[in-house]
Amino acid sequence: MDGGGTTGNSSPPPPPSSPSSPGRRGVPYAVYHFSTSGAAVAVATAITHPLDVLKVRLQMQLAGQRGNLVGMGGIFTQMVKTEGAGALYLGLAPALTRSVLYGGLRLGLYEPCKYTSEYLFGSSNFGMKFASGAVSGALATALTNPTEVLKVRLQMNSNSTSSPIREMRKIVSEEGIKALWKGVGPAMARAGCLTASQMATYDESKQALLRWALLEEGFHLHLIASCIAGTVGTLVTAPVDMIKTRLMLQRESKGVRTYKNGFHCAYQIVLTEGIRAIYKGGFATFARLGPQTVVTFIVCEKLRELAGIKAI
């Protein structure tokens, strides 16, 4: 990838899609490009899924009321004691499905969006990278939101014996097809913020470290840049993730809606639970998103290397 500064009138580098690239063997570049991204996110999701379950449980604590919150350790102990260790992997199937589809699109669309903005505006500065990440993240979420709704529903219901397909049919029959896109607004906002902060920060951090000749392309560079990206991504997205979870778990068939939209949800949370409530599950979010970001980028870079694709 190019550096973080403006490029003036120079032409942007074309995407590395030459059929002669090593490791290609006639397979279209797009297949490698999106599959490496999706596979990397799937690996990271499988490793960090228990933390995602804990985060959702933390976010749903004392919904609509104030009180003393149980920490991540307490939630973990309660779940294992009352529901068994298997509860930490509730919703894993839709989570992995979502990670391949959503992750592949979210990371895979970043570079095309960046090259497009560079071509149109002649610049690849941090602002353009941030905008490219926001667009790719929001678009990926809009297309894959049903898998996210299914995932959080299963994570909150340890007594359910339904398969993911049966649970999805139940949601549609009881709440309508629109329920599969419940919370899509905050989800798009979260994904846009997350992808923008992660990709732009990772991209810019790598280029800065390379420009300053502190590190060369390789594991240590990927590790440090991904740690920075994971920290920034958590700080930016934790409140939006909280709102998204509350909206997705709201069941239309159970009576009057508690939250009308994302803004109303944020207002009600602050009003009834306090300003700190928007960061419920914040530590679990960081504990999950930090390692997930690191694993995602390191695995993605390695898969790109094996596939003969230029590093991010």
Side-chain angles (χ1 to χ4, degrees), residues 59-81:
Q59 289 174 335
M60 291 305 295
Q61 273 191 94
L62 299 174
Q65 56 186 307
R66 296 175 187 267
N68 295 324
L69 300 175
V70 178
M72 186 168 69
I75 292 288
F76 171 82
T77 302
Q78 288 178 9
M79 285 185 65
V80 173
K81 185 177 180 179

Side-chain angles (χ1 to χ4, degrees), residues 37-278:
S37 299
V41 177
V43 171
T45 297
I47 293 172
T48 62
H49 186 74
L51 292 167
D52 189 39
V53 176
L54 291 174
K55 177 207 70 175
V56 171
R57 295 296 182 94
L58 284 164
Q59 289 174 335
M60 291 305 295
Q61 273 191 94
L62 299 174
Q65 56 186 307
R66 296 175 187 267
N68 295 324
L69 300 175
V70 178
M72 186 168 69
I75 292 288
F76 171 82
T77 302
Q78 288 178 9
M79 285 185 65
V80 173
K81 185 177 180 179
T82 61
E83 304 174 42
L88 295 172
Y89 288 90
L90 290 170
L92 179 60
L96 290 175
T97 301
R98 176 181 178 274
S99 66
V100 172
L101 300 175
Y102 164 73
L105 289 171
R106 184 170 72 86
L107 271 64
L109 289 173
Y110 170 73
E111 287 179 288
C113 288
K114 193 185 79 164
Y115 285 125
T116 299
S117 64
E118 188 174 354
Y119 177 79
L120 294 176
F121 303 104
S123 172
S124 62
N125 58 27
F126 183 81
M128 290 297 177
K129 292 175 182 178
F130 192 91
S132 298
V135 171
S136 59
L139 181 58
T141 293
L143 295 173
T144 62
N145 196 72
T147 59
E148 176 72 0
V149 172
L150 185 60
K151 182 193 76 170
V152 297
R153 291 290 182 92
L154 290 173
Q155 286 175 340
M156 284 300 295
N157 187 7
S158 61
N159 297 319
S160 175
T161 57
S162 299
S163 66
I165 298 298
R166 195 172 297 136
E167 183 69 20
M168 181 173 287
R169 288 175 178 170
K170 179 181 176 182
I171 293 172
V172 173
S173 64
E174 294 183 359
E175 304 174 55
I177 189 70
K178 290 175 62 177
L180 296 176
W181 273 269
K182 189 173 291 183
V184 67
M188 289 177 67
R190 175 193 177 276
C193 291
L194 175 63
T195 308
S197 57
Q198 278 185 333
M199 296 301 297
T201 303
Y202 180 78
D203 194 345
E204 200 73 7
S205 297
K206 274 190 65 177
Q207 298 309 318
L209 291 169
L210 288 170
R211 281 198 306 271
W212 299 337
L214 297 176
L215 292 169
E216 297 181 352
E217 189 70 50
F219 175 79
H220 292 95
L221 175 63
H222 304 158
L223 176 63
I224 293 174
S226 60
C227 285
I228 296 171
T231 302
V232 173
T234 301
L235 293 173
V236 171
T237 61
V240 186
D241 187 60
M242 167 68 168
I243 295 168
K244 177 211 72 172
T245 299
R246 288 290 180 88
L247 287 172
M248 286 182 172
L249 286 168
Q250 183 170 254
R251 296 178 183 267
E252 303 292 345
S253 59
K254 301 299 181 183
V256 180
R257 291 187 301 171
T258 303
Y259 310 121
K260 298 177 182 178
N261 50 50
F263 292 107
H264 183 250
C265 180
Y267 172 75
Q268 288 295 322
I269 289 173
V270 173
L271 181 67
T272 60
E273 303 171 48
I275 186 67
R276 294 175 59 187
I278 62 173

